Amino acid sequence: MSLALDTAAQDLLFREAQTANTFTDEPVTDEQIQAIYDLVKFGPTAFNQSPLRITLVRSEEARQRLVDHAMGANGPKTLSAPLTAILSVDLDFHEKLPQLFPHAPGIKDSFFSEAAVREVAGTQNATLQAGYFIVGVRAAGLAAGPMTGFDFTGVDKEFFGDGKQKSFLVVNIGKPGADAFSPRSPRLDFDEAVASI
């Protein structure tokens, strides 16, 4: 059975797409980011909670503040990117549920009144949204360089001092530069990853 997407789209989003380690200096525009967000916001989350928040790091001053919390090679990678996004979970996402899940207005308090419950649910669903975001970056013809090698406690103190957002991923975004891609690592075969019961 063939896929609904044509081969070129499959290649763009998956087969030929890789994590970029270097970038050109071609800027990533607000219009491109708006188009990416307007596409990926439709990905499903539980109760439509949509807890992902995206903080765009554009200024040199903010970029340096972020790089101060990077581990190893992630600092130079981040400095080479024309745009970097900090992905975080909004720990108060439940406050928007009356707007996002209007047919069940009481869910905000009946399901998500406890902070610990919100953190678990928000983190699961924001992580799911992060996957959509990376595919959306690729759909815009850009490369993504997602990284977890940051001191996220430090990032949170630096950028989200009120404690209402918790970062979990940094994504460099742009056109790939010279030697941007490492050789592709192996993937599991179908029979190794998929089971029927």
Side-chain angles (χ1 to χ4, degrees):
M1 177 179 135
S2 62
L3 298 174
L5 287 175
D6 65 31
T7 301
Q10 295 170 37
D11 289 343
L12 177 70
L13 299 178
F14 298 101
R15 282 192 287 265
E16 293 180 7
Q18 289 185 253
T19 295
N21 296 306
T22 67
F23 298 87
T24 70
D25 58 3
E26 182 178 332
V28 177
T29 67
D30 290 338
E31 292 77 16
Q32 286 172 302
I33 294 299
Q34 178 80 52
I36 291 165
Y37 180 76
D38 286 342
L39 180 66
V40 304
K41 69 182 180 183
F42 293 110
T45 56
F47 302 108
N48 198 34
Q49 61 188 247
S50 306
L52 180 69
R53 300 295 177 264
I54 303 163
T55 302
L56 301 176
V57 181
R58 289 195 180 276
S59 74
E60 290 304 315
E61 180 268 337
R63 185 179 305 277
Q64 190 56 59
R65 287 167 50 211
L66 176 59
V67 165
D68 287 345
H69 301 284
M71 298 175 187
N74 290 338
K77 289 179 190 179
T78 301
L79 291 173
S80 82
L83 179 64
T84 300
I86 303 170
L87 304 191
S88 60
V89 56
D90 179 356
L91 298 175
D92 284 340
F93 70 83
H94 67 308
E95 297 294 347
K96 296 196 180 296
L97 284 175
Q99 168 193 342
L100 295 173
F101 210 66
H103 52 284
I107 204 164
K108 167 184 172 284
D109 298 314
S110 61
F111 275 69
F112 299 111
S113 61
E114 295 180 21
V117 172
R118 289 197 304 275
E119 182 169 349
V120 170
T123 300
Q124 289 173 337
N125 286 277
T127 303
L128 180 62
Q129 288 184 282
Y132 309 143
F133 181 75
I134 292 166
V135 173
V137 168
R138 294 171 174 180
L142 300 169
M147 301 170 291
T148 56
F150 280 76
D151 170 13
F152 285 111
T153 300
V155 171
D156 293 345
K157 288 179 183 174
E158 187 76 40
F159 293 94
F160 313 122
D162 60 5
K164 296 186 178 187
Q165 285 179 239
K166 189 172 182 181
S167 60
F168 64 92
L169 191 67
V170 172
V171 184
N172 290 325
I173 303 167
K175 292 287 187 181
D179 301 317
F181 306 115
S182 301
R184 187 181 288 283
S185 297
R187 299 299 194 266
L188 294 176
D189 289 334
F190 180 86
D191 292 339
E192 295 176 285
V194 180
S196 296
I197 55 172

